[in-house]
Short mmCIF file of all heavy atoms in Angstrom, two decimals:
data_model
loop_
_atom_site.label_atom_id
_atom_site.label_comp_id
_atom_site.label_asym_id
_atom_site.label_seq_id
_atom_site.Cartn_x
_atom_site.Cartn_y
_atom_site.Cartn_z
N VAL A 1 0.87 -1.17 0.01
CA VAL A 1 0.02 0.01 0.00
C VAL A 1 0.91 1.26 -0.01
O VAL A 1 1.76 1.38 0.83
CB VAL A 1 -0.90 0.01 1.23
CG1 VAL A 1 -1.74 1.28 1.29
CG2 VAL A 1 -1.82 -1.23 1.23
N HIS A 2 0.71 2.10 -0.94
CA HIS A 2 1.43 3.38 -1.03
C HIS A 2 0.43 4.48 -0.75
O HIS A 2 -0.67 4.52 -1.30
CB HIS A 2 1.99 3.63 -2.46
CG HIS A 2 2.87 2.50 -2.89
ND1 HIS A 2 4.25 2.57 -2.68
CD2 HIS A 2 2.66 1.34 -3.58
CE1 HIS A 2 4.79 1.49 -3.13
NE2 HIS A 2 3.83 0.76 -3.73
N TYR A 3 0.75 5.45 0.13
CA TYR A 3 -0.20 6.42 0.63
C TYR A 3 0.45 7.78 0.73
O TYR A 3 1.55 7.92 1.30
CB TYR A 3 -0.69 5.98 1.97
CG TYR A 3 -1.61 6.94 2.65
CD1 TYR A 3 -2.92 7.11 2.24
CD2 TYR A 3 -1.16 7.65 3.77
CE1 TYR A 3 -3.77 7.99 2.85
CE2 TYR A 3 -2.06 8.51 4.43
CZ TYR A 3 -3.33 8.67 3.96
OH TYR A 3 -4.20 9.55 4.65
N ALA A 4 -0.15 8.81 0.13
CA ALA A 4 0.32 10.17 0.24
C ALA A 4 -0.84 11.08 0.39
O ALA A 4 -1.94 10.82 -0.07
CB ALA A 4 1.12 10.49 -1.04
N THR A 5 -0.61 12.19 1.05
CA THR A 5 -1.62 13.24 1.14
C THR A 5 -0.96 14.51 0.65
O THR A 5 0.20 14.74 0.80
CB THR A 5 -2.13 13.41 2.60
OG1 THR A 5 -1.01 13.72 3.44
CG2 THR A 5 -2.82 12.21 3.13
N ASP A 6 -1.82 15.34 0.08
CA ASP A 6 -1.33 16.61 -0.48
C ASP A 6 -2.41 17.65 -0.21
O ASP A 6 -3.58 17.54 -0.57
CB ASP A 6 -1.10 16.49 -2.00
CG ASP A 6 -0.63 17.77 -2.66
OD1 ASP A 6 -0.24 18.64 -1.88
OD2 ASP A 6 -0.59 17.84 -3.86
N GLN A 7 -2.04 18.70 0.51
CA GLN A 7 -3.06 19.69 0.92
C GLN A 7 -3.67 20.46 -0.29
O GLN A 7 -4.78 20.97 -0.19
CB GLN A 7 -2.43 20.73 1.86
CG GLN A 7 -1.91 20.11 3.13
CD GLN A 7 -3.04 19.42 3.88
OE1 GLN A 7 -4.19 19.80 3.85
NE2 GLN A 7 -2.69 18.32 4.55
N THR A 8 -2.96 20.52 -1.42
CA THR A 8 -3.48 21.19 -2.62
C THR A 8 -4.12 20.14 -3.54
O THR A 8 -4.38 20.48 -4.69
CB THR A 8 -2.37 21.93 -3.35
OG1 THR A 8 -1.36 20.98 -3.76
CG2 THR A 8 -1.76 22.96 -2.46
N GLY A 9 -4.34 18.99 -3.07
CA GLY A 9 -4.84 17.89 -3.95
C GLY A 9 -6.30 17.95 -4.22
O GLY A 9 -6.94 19.02 -4.04
N PRO A 10 -6.85 16.89 -4.69
CA PRO A 10 -8.29 16.87 -5.11
C PRO A 10 -9.16 16.93 -3.92
O PRO A 10 -8.79 16.93 -2.75
CB PRO A 10 -8.33 15.49 -5.78
CG PRO A 10 -7.29 14.66 -5.11
CD PRO A 10 -6.16 15.61 -4.83
N THR A 11 -10.49 17.03 -4.21
CA THR A 11 -11.49 17.17 -3.15
C THR A 11 -12.00 15.88 -2.71
O THR A 11 -12.87 15.80 -1.83
CB THR A 11 -12.63 18.06 -3.66
OG1 THR A 11 -13.21 17.40 -4.83
CG2 THR A 11 -12.18 19.46 -4.02
N ALA A 12 -11.54 14.76 -3.23
CA ALA A 12 -11.98 13.44 -2.85
C ALA A 12 -10.71 12.53 -2.89
O ALA A 12 -9.81 12.75 -3.72
CB ALA A 12 -13.08 12.93 -3.71
N PRO A 13 -10.70 11.46 -2.07
CA PRO A 13 -9.54 10.56 -2.14
C PRO A 13 -9.47 9.81 -3.50
O PRO A 13 -10.51 9.56 -4.07
CB PRO A 13 -9.87 9.53 -1.07
CG PRO A 13 -10.95 10.14 -0.22
CD PRO A 13 -11.62 11.12 -1.05
N LEU A 14 -8.24 9.70 -3.94
CA LEU A 14 -8.02 8.98 -5.24
C LEU A 14 -7.39 7.60 -4.90
O LEU A 14 -6.44 7.52 -4.10
CB LEU A 14 -7.13 9.74 -6.13
CG LEU A 14 -7.61 11.13 -6.57
CD1 LEU A 14 -6.58 11.82 -7.44
CD2 LEU A 14 -8.94 10.94 -7.40
N VAL A 15 -7.88 6.53 -5.53
CA VAL A 15 -7.39 5.21 -5.32
C VAL A 15 -7.03 4.57 -6.70
O VAL A 15 -7.79 4.66 -7.65
CB VAL A 15 -8.44 4.27 -4.61
CG1 VAL A 15 -7.89 2.88 -4.41
CG2 VAL A 15 -8.84 4.90 -3.30
N GLY A 16 -5.83 3.99 -6.74
CA GLY A 16 -5.40 3.33 -7.96
C GLY A 16 -4.77 1.94 -7.66
O GLY A 16 -4.41 1.70 -6.49
N PHE A 17 -4.75 1.16 -8.68
CA PHE A 17 -4.21 -0.20 -8.50
C PHE A 17 -3.13 -0.49 -9.52
O PHE A 17 -3.16 -0.07 -10.68
CB PHE A 17 -5.35 -1.23 -8.70
CG PHE A 17 -6.47 -1.08 -7.77
CD1 PHE A 17 -7.57 -0.28 -8.15
CD2 PHE A 17 -6.43 -1.61 -6.50
CE1 PHE A 17 -8.64 -0.14 -7.19
CE2 PHE A 17 -7.48 -1.46 -5.64
CZ PHE A 17 -8.57 -0.72 -5.95
N ALA A 18 -2.06 -1.13 -9.02
CA ALA A 18 -1.01 -1.59 -9.86
C ALA A 18 -0.89 -3.10 -9.84
O ALA A 18 -0.59 -3.65 -8.81
CB ALA A 18 0.32 -0.90 -9.45
N VAL A 19 -1.29 -3.76 -10.91
CA VAL A 19 -1.25 -5.18 -10.98
C VAL A 19 -0.38 -5.59 -12.15
O VAL A 19 -0.89 -5.72 -13.27
CB VAL A 19 -2.71 -5.74 -11.16
CG1 VAL A 19 -2.66 -7.31 -11.00
CG2 VAL A 19 -3.66 -5.14 -10.13
N PRO A 20 0.93 -5.73 -11.94
CA PRO A 20 1.86 -5.84 -13.03
C PRO A 20 1.83 -7.28 -13.64
O PRO A 20 1.50 -8.26 -13.00
CB PRO A 20 3.22 -5.61 -12.38
CG PRO A 20 3.04 -5.63 -10.94
CD PRO A 20 1.61 -5.50 -10.63
N LYS A 21 2.09 -7.31 -14.94
CA LYS A 21 2.17 -8.58 -15.67
C LYS A 21 3.21 -9.50 -15.16
O LYS A 21 3.09 -10.76 -15.20
CB LYS A 21 2.49 -8.33 -17.17
CG LYS A 21 1.31 -7.92 -18.00
CD LYS A 21 1.79 -7.85 -19.41
CE LYS A 21 0.63 -7.44 -20.32
NZ LYS A 21 1.03 -7.32 -21.74
N ARG A 22 4.30 -8.98 -14.62
CA ARG A 22 5.38 -9.82 -14.09
C ARG A 22 4.93 -10.55 -12.85
O ARG A 22 5.51 -11.57 -12.46
CB ARG A 22 6.66 -9.06 -13.85
CG ARG A 22 6.58 -8.07 -12.70
CD ARG A 22 7.93 -7.41 -12.50
NE ARG A 22 7.87 -6.57 -11.33
CZ ARG A 22 7.45 -5.33 -11.38
NH1 ARG A 22 7.11 -4.72 -12.50
NH2 ARG A 22 7.45 -4.62 -10.25
N GLU A 23 3.91 -10.03 -12.11
CA GLU A 23 3.40 -10.67 -10.98
C GLU A 23 2.30 -11.70 -11.28
O GLU A 23 2.22 -12.77 -10.76
CB GLU A 23 2.86 -9.68 -9.94
CG GLU A 23 3.94 -8.74 -9.34
CD GLU A 23 4.97 -9.47 -8.49
OE1 GLU A 23 4.59 -10.55 -7.87
OE2 GLU A 23 6.06 -8.95 -8.33
N LEU A 24 1.37 -11.23 -12.16
CA LEU A 24 0.24 -12.07 -12.55
C LEU A 24 0.16 -12.00 -14.12
O LEU A 24 -0.24 -11.07 -14.73
CB LEU A 24 -1.11 -11.51 -12.02
CG LEU A 24 -1.23 -11.49 -10.49
CD1 LEU A 24 -2.46 -10.82 -10.03
CD2 LEU A 24 -1.14 -12.90 -9.95
N ALA A 25 0.62 -13.11 -14.74
CA ALA A 25 0.82 -13.13 -16.18
C ALA A 25 -0.50 -13.07 -16.98
O ALA A 25 -0.52 -12.48 -18.06
CB ALA A 25 1.61 -14.38 -16.58
N HIS A 26 -1.53 -13.69 -16.50
CA HIS A 26 -2.77 -13.76 -17.28
C HIS A 26 -3.70 -12.58 -16.95
O HIS A 26 -3.91 -12.25 -15.78
CB HIS A 26 -3.48 -15.08 -16.94
CG HIS A 26 -2.70 -16.26 -17.31
ND1 HIS A 26 -2.51 -16.68 -18.60
CD2 HIS A 26 -2.00 -17.13 -16.53
CE1 HIS A 26 -1.76 -17.81 -18.64
NE2 HIS A 26 -1.39 -18.09 -17.39
N ALA A 27 -4.25 -11.99 -17.96
CA ALA A 27 -5.10 -10.82 -17.82
C ALA A 27 -6.30 -11.19 -16.92
O ALA A 27 -6.71 -10.29 -16.13
CB ALA A 27 -5.57 -10.31 -19.21
N THR A 28 -6.88 -12.29 -17.10
CA THR A 28 -8.08 -12.68 -16.31
C THR A 28 -7.71 -12.70 -14.80
O THR A 28 -8.50 -12.29 -13.98
CB THR A 28 -8.64 -14.04 -16.71
OG1 THR A 28 -7.59 -15.00 -16.62
CG2 THR A 28 -9.21 -13.99 -18.08
N ASP A 29 -6.49 -13.12 -14.48
CA ASP A 29 -6.09 -13.13 -13.07
C ASP A 29 -5.91 -11.74 -12.53
O ASP A 29 -6.29 -11.40 -11.45
CB ASP A 29 -4.77 -13.93 -12.89
CG ASP A 29 -4.90 -15.38 -13.23
OD1 ASP A 29 -6.09 -15.89 -13.17
OD2 ASP A 29 -3.91 -16.09 -13.56
N ARG A 30 -5.20 -10.89 -13.39
CA ARG A 30 -5.06 -9.44 -12.93
C ARG A 30 -6.37 -8.76 -12.71
O ARG A 30 -6.57 -8.12 -11.71
CB ARG A 30 -4.23 -8.73 -13.99
CG ARG A 30 -2.84 -9.18 -14.10
CD ARG A 30 -1.97 -8.22 -14.95
NE ARG A 30 -2.42 -8.05 -16.29
CZ ARG A 30 -2.17 -8.82 -17.35
NH1 ARG A 30 -1.40 -9.84 -17.13
NH2 ARG A 30 -2.64 -8.55 -18.52
N HIS A 31 -7.33 -8.99 -13.61
CA HIS A 31 -8.61 -8.31 -13.49
C HIS A 31 -9.43 -8.88 -12.31
O HIS A 31 -10.09 -8.10 -11.56
CB HIS A 31 -9.43 -8.47 -14.78
CG HIS A 31 -8.89 -7.71 -15.91
ND1 HIS A 31 -8.90 -6.34 -15.99
CD2 HIS A 31 -8.22 -8.10 -17.03
CE1 HIS A 31 -8.32 -5.96 -17.07
NE2 HIS A 31 -7.89 -7.02 -17.71
N ARG A 32 -9.37 -10.17 -12.03
CA ARG A 32 -10.01 -10.76 -10.88
C ARG A 32 -9.55 -10.13 -9.59
O ARG A 32 -10.34 -9.70 -8.72
CB ARG A 32 -9.82 -12.24 -10.83
CG ARG A 32 -10.58 -12.92 -9.67
CD ARG A 32 -10.32 -14.42 -9.54
NE ARG A 32 -10.53 -15.09 -10.83
CZ ARG A 32 -9.58 -15.83 -11.40
NH1 ARG A 32 -8.43 -16.04 -10.82
NH2 ARG A 32 -9.82 -16.49 -12.49
N VAL A 33 -8.21 -10.07 -9.40
CA VAL A 33 -7.67 -9.56 -8.22
C VAL A 33 -7.99 -8.06 -8.05
O VAL A 33 -8.38 -7.57 -6.96
CB VAL A 33 -6.13 -9.75 -8.12
CG1 VAL A 33 -5.50 -9.03 -6.94
CG2 VAL A 33 -5.86 -11.27 -8.02
N GLN A 34 -7.93 -7.30 -9.19
CA GLN A 34 -8.23 -5.90 -9.10
C GLN A 34 -9.70 -5.67 -8.79
O GLN A 34 -10.04 -4.73 -7.95
CB GLN A 34 -7.92 -5.27 -10.44
CG GLN A 34 -8.12 -3.75 -10.43
CD GLN A 34 -7.62 -3.08 -11.66
OE1 GLN A 34 -6.98 -3.67 -12.52
NE2 GLN A 34 -7.96 -1.82 -11.85
N ARG A 35 -10.59 -6.48 -9.31
CA ARG A 35 -12.06 -6.32 -8.97
C ARG A 35 -12.25 -6.57 -7.44
O ARG A 35 -13.04 -5.92 -6.80
CB ARG A 35 -12.87 -7.26 -9.84
CG ARG A 35 -13.17 -6.76 -11.18
CD ARG A 35 -14.28 -7.58 -11.86
NE ARG A 35 -14.05 -9.04 -11.81
CZ ARG A 35 -13.36 -9.68 -12.78
NH1 ARG A 35 -12.88 -9.04 -13.80
NH2 ARG A 35 -13.18 -11.00 -12.69
N GLN A 36 -11.61 -7.65 -6.97
CA GLN A 36 -11.77 -7.99 -5.52
C GLN A 36 -11.28 -6.79 -4.68
O GLN A 36 -11.96 -6.37 -3.71
CB GLN A 36 -10.90 -9.23 -5.16
CG GLN A 36 -11.55 -10.54 -5.57
CD GLN A 36 -10.64 -11.67 -5.18
OE1 GLN A 36 -9.47 -11.73 -5.52
NE2 GLN A 36 -11.17 -12.56 -4.41
N LEU A 37 -10.11 -6.25 -4.98
CA LEU A 37 -9.58 -5.17 -4.26
C LEU A 37 -10.43 -3.90 -4.34
O LEU A 37 -10.58 -3.16 -3.35
CB LEU A 37 -8.13 -4.87 -4.62
CG LEU A 37 -7.10 -5.86 -4.14
CD1 LEU A 37 -5.76 -5.64 -4.80
CD2 LEU A 37 -6.97 -5.80 -2.63
N ARG A 38 -10.91 -3.62 -5.52
CA ARG A 38 -11.82 -2.40 -5.74
C ARG A 38 -12.95 -2.53 -4.80
O ARG A 38 -13.39 -1.58 -4.17
CB ARG A 38 -12.24 -2.30 -7.19
CG ARG A 38 -12.89 -1.02 -7.50
CD ARG A 38 -13.28 -0.84 -8.94
NE ARG A 38 -12.28 -1.31 -9.87
CZ ARG A 38 -12.54 -2.23 -10.79
NH1 ARG A 38 -13.66 -2.84 -10.84
NH2 ARG A 38 -11.60 -2.56 -11.66
N HIS A 39 -13.63 -3.71 -4.75
CA HIS A 39 -14.73 -3.90 -3.86
C HIS A 39 -14.34 -3.68 -2.39
O HIS A 39 -15.10 -3.11 -1.62
CB HIS A 39 -15.30 -5.29 -4.10
CG HIS A 39 -16.44 -5.64 -3.25
ND1 HIS A 39 -17.73 -5.13 -3.36
CD2 HIS A 39 -16.53 -6.47 -2.15
CE1 HIS A 39 -18.47 -5.56 -2.44
NE2 HIS A 39 -17.78 -6.42 -1.62
N LEU A 40 -13.18 -4.24 -2.00
CA LEU A 40 -12.76 -4.15 -0.62
C LEU A 40 -12.40 -2.76 -0.21
O LEU A 40 -12.71 -2.26 0.91
CB LEU A 40 -11.60 -5.07 -0.31
CG LEU A 40 -11.88 -6.56 -0.46
CD1 LEU A 40 -10.59 -7.36 -0.40
CD2 LEU A 40 -12.88 -7.00 0.59
N VAL A 41 -11.72 -1.99 -1.08
CA VAL A 41 -11.23 -0.68 -0.79
C VAL A 41 -12.47 0.33 -0.64
O VAL A 41 -12.40 1.24 0.16
CB VAL A 41 -10.34 -0.13 -1.91
CG1 VAL A 41 -10.05 1.37 -1.81
CG2 VAL A 41 -9.04 -0.87 -1.85
N ALA A 42 -13.57 0.04 -1.24
CA ALA A 42 -14.76 0.87 -1.20
C ALA A 42 -15.18 1.04 0.26
O ALA A 42 -15.75 2.10 0.65
CB ALA A 42 -15.87 0.38 -2.02
N ASP A 43 -15.01 0.05 1.12
CA ASP A 43 -15.37 0.16 2.54
C ASP A 43 -14.51 1.11 3.30
O ASP A 43 -14.91 1.53 4.40
CB ASP A 43 -15.27 -1.22 3.17
CG ASP A 43 -16.31 -2.21 2.63
OD1 ASP A 43 -17.32 -1.75 1.99
OD2 ASP A 43 -16.05 -3.41 2.70
N TYR A 44 -13.34 1.43 2.84
CA TYR A 44 -12.38 2.22 3.60
C TYR A 44 -12.09 3.61 3.02
O TYR A 44 -11.42 4.40 3.63
CB TYR A 44 -11.06 1.51 3.68
CG TYR A 44 -11.22 0.14 4.36
CD1 TYR A 44 -11.26 -1.00 3.64
CD2 TYR A 44 -11.44 0.03 5.70
CE1 TYR A 44 -11.45 -2.25 4.25
CE2 TYR A 44 -11.64 -1.20 6.33
CZ TYR A 44 -11.64 -2.34 5.56
OH TYR A 44 -11.85 -3.53 6.21
N VAL A 45 -12.65 3.93 1.83
CA VAL A 45 -12.39 5.18 1.19
C VAL A 45 -12.95 6.38 2.00
O VAL A 45 -12.33 7.40 2.14
CB VAL A 45 -13.00 5.23 -0.21
CG1 VAL A 45 -12.98 6.60 -0.85
CG2 VAL A 45 -12.18 4.25 -1.11
N ASP A 46 -14.05 6.17 2.67
CA ASP A 46 -14.65 7.29 3.48
C ASP A 46 -13.80 7.65 4.69
O ASP A 46 -13.88 8.75 5.18
CB ASP A 46 -16.03 6.88 3.94
CG ASP A 46 -17.04 6.75 2.82
OD1 ASP A 46 -16.82 7.37 1.77
OD2 ASP A 46 -18.05 6.06 2.94
N ALA A 47 -12.96 6.71 5.10
CA ALA A 47 -12.09 6.96 6.30
C ALA A 47 -10.84 7.75 5.88
O ALA A 47 -10.12 8.30 6.76
CB ALA A 47 -11.67 5.65 6.91
#
């Protein structure tokens, strides 16, 4: 998890995912993990 705050930043938290090919070679695997994480992160964005 990489986390930064910037006082001149956007008005809402921004979340991004890095799922490199060298870690998960198949696109279906990368997308599956990213979908799972996107769903899980939604519970914590408000915090």
Side-chain angles (χ1 to χ4, degrees):
V1 175
H2 302 271
Y3 175 72
T5 57
D6 182 12
Q7 298 302 328
T8 62
T11 59
L14 296 176
V15 179
F17 300 94
V19 189
K21 278 185 182 179
R22 72 176 181 274
E23 296 291 336
L24 299 173
H26 299 285
T28 54
D29 295 337
R30 291 192 302 275
H31 292 289
R32 180 185 311 124
V33 172
Q34 186 173 349
R35 280 193 308 270
Q36 284 179 305
L37 285 170
R38 190 179 317 120
H39 177 74
L40 295 172
V41 168
D43 294 337
Y44 302 101
V45 169
D46 293 337

